[in-house]
Amino acid sequence: MSTYNRVIIIGWDGAGNFVRDAHTPNLDRLFEAGAFTLEAQTASPTISAECWGTLLHGVDPVKHGLTNTKAEVETFPENSPYPSIFRVVRAAFPLAKLAAYSAWKPINDGIIESSIGVHTISMPDDELVQAIAAYIHENPDFKLLYVQLDLPDAAGHKYGYNMPEQHRVIEESDRHTGVILGALEQADLLKDSLIIAVTDHGGGGENAFNHGSDHPLDKTIFWSCTGPGIAPGTKLDNVNIADTATVVAHALGLDAPASWEGKLPEGLFPDM
């Protein structure tokens, strides 16, 4: 089993697979160094809480029950049979440093369980990445770091999804991602880290300025996984956003909960 000392999830909200039409050298670097797909599928409905909830809790929205409205006003049930990857890692590593830096505050307040000691920070994207870089330098022994950058989705709602204006904002998220990767490199953490880069949904399917449908423009997302032992340039098939939690558990040497629906993508890890 491949075991890494830490996992970093870098999420760009609302970017779909539109990265193919934007200049994203940092994301491309991750693609080239590891495994990736531009045809992964997200959860339905294609809305942020439902999709990030599926990524973090490993099950379909019908099971985890999260919606944007719920995440804004309620904490995630502590007795849910569908724990987040943070809860699974906390159970295995009681003293581990776990952190979630999310520009969209309901992820930290309503999707990640409130009782398990996750270090949570919410602020705008440009400030967020500077805080993440500082956290990495000050806490190189962290176990799990989740990042959500919000600007691509905001640009999609304002200018239209997969439009040149959104592409420019996606490129800004790529520069922000470069700050995070630079901090990891400076702290000499790339040699034993797994980095997952992903988005929650696309947009522009049934409505040029929105998402939520099962149209391919809303449902199809990029997903990548990079780290030691993963063959550079591996192209993945049949990846679902729910697989993310299972991949994180595997990378940290843990068994995924039986209640999770995700799988390990075929060909991702050499020991499979």
Side-chain angles (χ1 to χ4, degrees), residues 1-2 4 10 18 37 65 79 112 117 122 128 135 165 185 194 255:
M1 174 181 283
S2 299
Y4 300 81
I10 303 175
F18 313 141
T37 177
N79 60 350
I112 297 169
S122 299
L128 196 73
Y135 178 84
E165 294 86 353
E185 195 164 18
L194 190 78
D255 292 327

Side-chain angles (χ1 to χ4, degrees), residues 70-189:
K70 278 189 178 181
E72 287 169 359
V73 299
E74 299 177 12
T75 57
F76 191 79
E78 299 291 340
N79 60 350
S80 172
Y82 311 112
S84 75
I85 187 59
F86 279 104
R87 183 176 283 283
V88 172
V89 175
R90 172 61 74 218
F93 303 103
L95 301 180
K97 294 178 180 178
L98 313 177
Y101 282 74
S102 173
W104 190 52
K105 201 168 183 288
I107 294 175
N108 287 340
D109 293 347
I111 296 180
I112 297 169
E113 297 93 341
S114 61
S115 66
I116 53 176
V118 178
H119 174 68
T120 58
I121 297 290
S122 299
M123 56 179 65
D125 290 18
D126 54 347
E127 298 173 37
L128 196 73
V129 293
Q130 297 302 325
I132 292 165
Y135 178 84
I136 290 168
H137 286 302
E138 294 163 10
N139 302 275
D141 56 338
F142 72 88
K143 185 64 66 176
L144 176 59
L145 168 63
Y146 166 83
V147 176
Q148 182 262 358
L149 300 175
D150 202 52
L151 288 178
D153 193 51
H157 284 297
K158 183 175 182 179
Y159 302 111
Y161 288 85
N162 203 24
M163 293 291 109
E165 294 86 353
Q166 194 203 22
H167 296 162
R168 285 197 286 274
V169 175
I170 286 172
E171 291 168 2
E172 187 175 347
S173 293
D174 188 76
R175 290 191 290 274
H176 287 148
T177 297
V179 173
I180 300 170
L181 296 178
L184 292 168
E185 195 164 18
Q186 290 163 21
D188 195 27
L189 301 183

Side-chain angles (χ1 to χ4, degrees), residues 11-22 24 27 38 52 149-154 156 161-162 166-167 169-171 173 198-203 211 217-218 220-222:
W12 301 1
D13 205 296
N17 63 1
F18 313 141
V19 297
R20 71 169 88 219
D21 296 317
T24 56
L27 186 64
L38 294 174
W52 291 127
L149 300 175
D150 202 52
L151 288 178
D153 193 51
Y161 288 85
N162 203 24
Q166 194 203 22
H167 296 162
V169 175
I170 286 172
E171 291 168 2
S173 293
V198 63
T199 184
D200 57 337
H201 56 73
H211 50 86
L217 285 173
D218 291 4
T220 308
I221 61 172
F222 77 86

Side-chain angles (χ1 to χ4, degrees), residues 8-10 26-32 34-38 40 194-199 221-227 230 234 236 239 244 247 268:
I8 302 97
I9 303 169
I10 303 175
N26 291 296
L27 186 64
D28 292 347
R29 170 186 164 195
L30 292 174
F31 286 1
E32 292 162 5
F36 72 98
T37 177
L38 294 174
L194 190 78
I195 301 172
I196 298 171
V198 63
T199 184
I221 61 172
F222 77 86
W223 191 96
S224 73
C225 191
T226 307
I230 295 177
T234 299
L236 300 171
V239 175
T244 311
V247 169
L268 177 59

